[in-house]
Amino acid sequence: MYTKEQLSKYPYFETLFRTRNTGDVIDSLTGLISRQYMVEFIRDLMENQVPFTLALLDLDNFKFINDTYGHKTGDGVLAGLSSDLEKYLEGYGIAGRYGGDEFLIVNLRDQNYNELKAFFSDLYSDYHVLRKNICLEDCEPFITGTIGCAVYPKDAQDYASLFTLVDKTLYRGKIKGRNCYIIYVEEKHKDISMQALAGRGIYTIFHDLACRFDSQAALSDKLKAMLDILYDDMRISDLYYVGSDNHFRNISAGGSLGVVTDLDQLIKDDIYTTNEIGNIKAKSRSMFDLCQAHAFETVLIIRIGIQDETFGYLVCAEPKNRRIWQDDEYAIMFFIARMLAVYVQASGETI
């Protein structure tokens, strides 16, 4: 929890504490600055033309933690993360709770791209703040987060404009698969609209996938016809499949990346996912070796089958990206796998 002494080194808080108690300024659960005073602090920096980087951190799948472990655990996660964040920023920045599972970060030290890349890379690594287990009384939930950031005054000169850029980059990170940070770069991001980032509804995606699937005769053509939809709506780098010959092939080029023989030992239900490839090793050594060889850090594997009959597997495998898959993405891939299974069962064509 921030103390009066820690915060008083900033002129805004030194003045504020003449009329406010520490308890008025601090969020009671997290020990960070409450939203109102965090925003006022940011505006004060701008009024005094102090350069800084503003970042917005959103915990990934926090609702799942609340629903699975209960709100007491959720509160423990927020408090634990906040403590780590405060320690990480000590000496050159402060953090505040923006609302729910979102946090504002002000970095007064780093403003150029390389500095920020190092700052965020370190925040995500070596168990500093994210990609780590929060040790609580009854469990140790693994937490990740998505971050968007922009720099004052380089990227924007007022609070509303700066926050819009931060929000846009955060949303861009969510679309990319979460568990990542996005630094605002004008030439990359200035023309991206929030509407474009939001994408399309799940019904529209299902409808377009079904139409593309039905428009082609051969199985390989059906798969290729759906690829551009998956590129646009799921932002995947490629789609792969494992067929009856056990070769791991990418659909875009049709080439084999290797042989995988033991996916049936890994998948007990229709879907398996992980962003810790080491989890695969014990049950599917051939898949683990292939992931290591091609720098895959995240996989989503879907069984192509009906009841007890399995015809193959679809695989989304992302290189150098610890992506976190969402429920709508599971639904899209399951829908494709079931269309494939019904087609193969009826036609007799092998995958």
Side-chain angles (χ1 to χ4, degrees), residues 47-185:
E47 287 176 8
N48 289 282
Q49 299 182 340
V50 178
F52 65 92
T53 296
L54 178 64
L56 184 60
L57 161 63
D58 186 4
L59 287 182
D60 298 324
N61 296 344
F62 184 69
K63 183 178 183 299
F64 173 81
I65 293 176
N66 275 334
D67 292 347
T68 303
Y69 301 107
H71 288 275
K72 180 180 178 182
T73 296
D75 289 349
V77 166
L78 294 177
L81 171 98
S82 299
S83 176
D84 293 335
L85 196 56
E86 177 192 335
K87 293 173 185 174
Y88 185 75
L89 291 167
E90 187 174 0
Y92 58 89
I94 62 174
R97 188 181 185 189
Y98 188 67
D101 58 341
E102 292 185 317
F103 300 86
L104 285 172
I105 298 170
V106 169
N107 181 339
L108 291 158
R109 182 190 66 185
D110 306 313
Q111 279 98 56
N112 73 48
Y113 184 86
N114 289 333
E115 290 172 345
L116 289 171
K117 186 175 180 181
F119 168 78
F120 288 119
S121 295
D122 200 34
L123 183 145
Y124 277 87
S125 63
D126 297 328
Y127 307 103
H128 282 136
V129 179
L130 296 170
R131 294 180 184 163
K132 63 183 251 182
N133 294 93
I134 296 288
C135 298
L136 302 174
E137 183 178 349
D138 300 322
C139 59
E140 297 184 4
F142 186 80
I143 62 163
T144 65
T146 305
I147 298 174
C149 79
V151 176
Y152 168 84
K154 179 175 72 71
D155 299 323
Q157 286 72 52
D158 62 84
Y159 177 78
S161 300
L162 185 68
F163 191 84
T164 296
L165 299 183
V166 170
D167 201 29
K168 182 191 290 189
T169 53
L170 172 65
Y171 207 89
R172 174 65 176 152
K174 291 182 180 181
I175 293 299
K176 286 188 67 176
R178 294 172 167 80
N179 193 19
C180 65
Y181 62 89
I182 302 291
I183 301 168
Y184 179 78
V185 177

